[in-house]
Amino acid sequence: MDRIILPEKVNRIIRRLTDAGFEACAVGGCVRDSLLGRKPQDWDITTSAAPEEVKSVFPHTVDTGIKHGTVTVLEGIGEDREAFEVTTYRIDGEYDDARHPREVTFTPDLKEDLRRRDFTINAMAYSEETGLIDLFGGKEDLERKLIRAVGVPEERFGEDALRIMRAVRFAAQLGYEVEDNTAAAAAALAPNLAKISCERIMVELTKLLVSPHPDELRRMSELGITAVFLPEFDRCMETPQNNPHHCYNVGEHILHSLTAVRPDPVLRFAMLFHDIGKPQCHTTDEEGIDHFHGHAEVSAKLADQILRRLKSDNATRREVVALVAAHGADLGETEAELRKSIAQIGPDRFPLLLEVKAADAAAQSDHRREEKEATLARWRAMYEEILARGDCLSLKDLAVKGDDLVAAGVPAGRKIGEILGRMLQDVLETPEHNRKELLLARHVPKKP
Ligand code: ATP
Ligand code: MG
């Protein structure tokens, strides 16, 4: 059955347009996801109406990308209002580095509009009136679980190299294969990705990493895609780890660690980069055992460089770099030591670090696995207890504030920070010391 239940608002928009004498259908990702029984992220509508005609049919519209034929239609009243992109049938000119093709031509023919789309599974349209419109075998490719370019793959990747990354990204999201000719063209044209802006590459890389199959990064490496924007990863794929703790080379270990961690962007990027500096730190001892001394620090530095190069947002970059830097740290034996580790790494970041460590261990050999898992379990349990007790873990929770020190006669300036720092160390060691009078008595020198 090819019946899709369109949301009522989508039906209303389509009906309005067809009542006015135009063609209109839902199109692209929402049709694909509906056929798969997945909930679409958004519903896009394609129409024979020109942008000005779309605007004349609806009372509430926004000119989002009117040059490219896209009008946002606001449907519903008040709280219930939702935005839908309605785009005129179009043929794309050559794509440039931006999100949109350099020039577009409108066309009265739906077939032309579907032909410009990247993959068969993304090139289907649907309305209640027309049913499924599938001119390129998209449904069959959904059934065969194949990512296949619409038309001649070399041409399609030549028009817009980003599609090469999108092919692997969709394979990762859906658990599909890339059809052979499409894959061959992707490999042949991958160097063209150098022309694509970092922002667009970052969007695709992030979607791949948070997908159910982040290890599809392997395919990106095999097709020569990472060679363009992440050659550091290709080096990892060539770096062996002849060491009892490991059973994979560095790159494969990274791939396994990616699948072992929750699909959160910070965590997935942290796993991608946690060992990225290993090739630079590689030494082999007399017994032929590989070592990677200092690799956490080198990896953190590289992660910072790479994320800047790829124009990551600063918040993500900082979190990832901090986690990479700390990924191998010994968090301590005693509760006091653990509290100090938490304070140093940051109480908000700490639970993420435990997840990073667990994924790292899961992607290693079975050598001393039980011991590693027991240590992690102990840290987790101690951390829970520390949280449950509400132990002070940062200056924010310290019973003494800067103002209290000024009131106690400490001159404003560097001294204040130093004393607060000592008080925090004291309280991390002995949580019961987190009382104002006691801390002032212990750490503020008595006036003569
Ligand atoms: P998702 O939103 O889940 O990432 P999607 O298929 O909706 O997937 P979008 O990037 O939102 O992807 O694009 C919507 C539709 O526009 C696609 O389904 C496809 O038909 C078309 N499209 C998007 N980007 C390209 C491109 N670079 N080349 C050709 N067609 C594209
Ligand atoms: Mg979409």
Side-chain angles (χ1 to χ4, degrees), residues 174-404:
L174 299 169
Y176 284 16
E177 269 302 314
V178 181
E179 177 270 330
D180 287 346
N181 293 319
T182 302
L189 291 166
N192 287 2
L193 275 163
K195 292 191 277 186
I196 301 296
S197 73
C198 295
E199 288 82 356
R200 292 180 84 200
I201 285 184
M202 198 56 183
V203 168
E204 294 304 322
L205 176 62
T206 307
K207 285 186 175 179
L208 173 115
L209 288 178
V210 302
S211 77
H213 301 280
D215 54 328
E216 281 287 320
L217 192 65
R218 181 188 295 108
R219 195 193 301 264
M220 286 209 176
S221 181
E222 287 164 1
L223 292 174
I225 297 172
T226 46
V228 180
F229 70 91
L230 199 57
E232 295 87 350
F233 179 73
D234 291 3
R235 283 192 68 193
C236 292
M237 291 299 281
E238 291 153 10
T239 305
Q241 299 194 92
N242 181 23
N243 180 304
H245 289 282
H246 283 281
C247 50
Y248 304 118
N249 68 33
V250 176
E252 286 294 333
H253 164 69
I254 289 174
L255 294 170
H256 281 83
S257 75
L258 278 170
T259 45
V261 88
R262 197 156 54 85
D264 165 85
V266 164
L267 287 173
R268 290 276 166 97
F269 271 107
M271 296 330 294
L272 172 60
F273 293 132
H274 80 284
D275 281 351
I276 199 81
K278 271 188 172 175
Q280 293 180 29
C281 306
H282 188 187
T283 55
T284 308
D285 67 21
E286 314 81 61
E287 265 111 70
I289 306 294
D290 293 323
H291 299 280
F292 304 93
H293 298 296
H295 78 270
E297 212 175 311
V298 176
S299 297
K301 216 178 246 166
L302 253 185
D304 189 70
Q305 276 171 27
I306 296 169
L307 287 169
R308 283 176 196 274
R309 187 174 82 209
L310 293 176
K311 309 232 160 68
S312 155
D313 65 276
N314 291 332
T316 303
R317 175 174 53 79
R318 277 195 282 269
E319 280 307 301
V320 170
V321 169
L323 289 169
V324 171
H327 84 269
D330 181 353
L331 305 177
E333 286 287 327
T334 64
E335 283 205 334
E337 283 167 352
L338 192 67
R339 274 192 297 271
K340 286 177 189 171
S341 293
I342 299 170
Q344 196 182 3
I345 287 147
D348 293 337
R349 200 174 279 143
F350 188 80
L352 297 182
L353 180 63
L354 290 179
E355 291 189 78
V356 166
K357 282 179 155 296
D360 186 5
Q364 296 176 6
S365 70
D366 288 337
H367 179 66
R368 289 161 72 178
R369 173 176 298 283
E370 280 174 21
E371 184 187 325
K372 291 174 194 172
E373 281 171 1
T375 303
L376 271 168
R378 196 166 45 81
W379 281 332
R380 226 176 269 126
M382 276 161 64
Y383 171 65
E384 296 294 336
E385 276 176 41
I386 287 167
L387 279 194
R389 268 199 313 266
D391 290 355
C392 166
L393 296 168
S394 67
L395 289 177
K396 186 164 65 61
D397 300 325
L398 199 65
V400 173
K401 304 287 168 216
D403 288 349
D404 299 321

Side-chain angles (χ1 to χ4, degrees), residues 8-236:
E8 196 33 49
K9 290 189 187 105
V10 173
N11 270 327
R12 277 211 295 270
I13 293 172
I14 291 175
R15 236 179 286 126
R16 277 266 188 117
L17 285 162
T18 51
D19 286 351
F22 302 106
E23 295 175 13
C25 292
V27 72
C30 63
V31 176
R32 175 198 69 219
D33 290 342
S34 297
L35 289 174
L36 289 171
R38 297 170 176 230
K39 193 175 160 3
Q41 285 187 357
D42 39 37
W43 293 84
D44 295 326
I45 292 153
T46 187
T47 179
S48 60
E52 291 304 324
E53 294 172 324
V54 173
K55 286 171 71 175
S56 72
V57 170
F58 296 98
H60 304 291
T61 63
V62 186
D63 291 2
T64 21
I66 203 147
K67 277 205 303 250
H68 304 101
T70 302
V71 173
T72 298
V73 171
L74 304 172
E75 184 68 27
I77 305 162
E79 289 278 280
D80 186 44
R81 181 166 277 189
E82 277 181 80
F84 296 88
E85 292 201 339
V86 177
T87 304
T88 306
Y89 295 167
R90 66 177 209 219
I91 306 166
D92 294 343
E94 182 133 332
Y95 276 68
D96 59 14
D97 284 1
R99 183 89 193 96
H100 295 293
R102 205 171 293 155
E103 42 169 41
V104 305
T105 320
F106 298 134
T107 163
D109 189 357
L110 173 62
K111 178 164 189 180
E112 294 295 326
D113 183 85
L114 295 178
R115 203 203 300 280
R116 72 165 168 96
R117 293 173 186 271
D118 45 10
F119 305 110
T120 59
I121 60 167
N122 290 345
M124 292 180 278
Y126 184 91
S127 76
E128 287 197 337
E129 204 179 311
T130 62
L132 184 68
I133 301 174
D134 175 17
L135 306 175
F136 305 102
K139 193 167 162 266
E140 198 184 322
D141 285 339
L142 282 180
E143 277 153 12
R144 300 209 305 198
K145 300 184 187 287
L146 277 182
I147 307 298
R148 181 198 307 272
V150 173
V152 182
E154 286 80 8
E155 290 175 10
R156 309 318 312 286
F157 292 150
E159 290 159 2
D160 177 11
L162 189 72
R163 291 170 186 160
I164 296 166
M165 277 189 86
R166 284 173 61 89
V168 184
R169 183 261 278 191
F170 283 115
Q173 286 180 323
L174 299 169
Y176 284 16
E177 269 302 314
V178 181
E179 177 270 330
D180 287 346
N181 293 319
T182 302
L189 291 166
N192 287 2
L193 275 163
K195 292 191 277 186
I196 301 296
S197 73
C198 295
E199 288 82 356
R200 292 180 84 200
I201 285 184
M202 198 56 183
V203 168
E204 294 304 322
L205 176 62
T206 307
K207 285 186 175 179
L208 173 115
L209 288 178
V210 302
S211 77
H213 301 280
D215 54 328
E216 281 287 320
L217 192 65
R218 181 188 295 108
R219 195 193 301 264
M220 286 209 176
S221 181
E222 287 164 1
L223 292 174
I225 297 172
T226 46
V228 180
F229 70 91
L230 199 57
E232 295 87 350
F233 179 73
D234 291 3
R235 283 192 68 193
C236 292

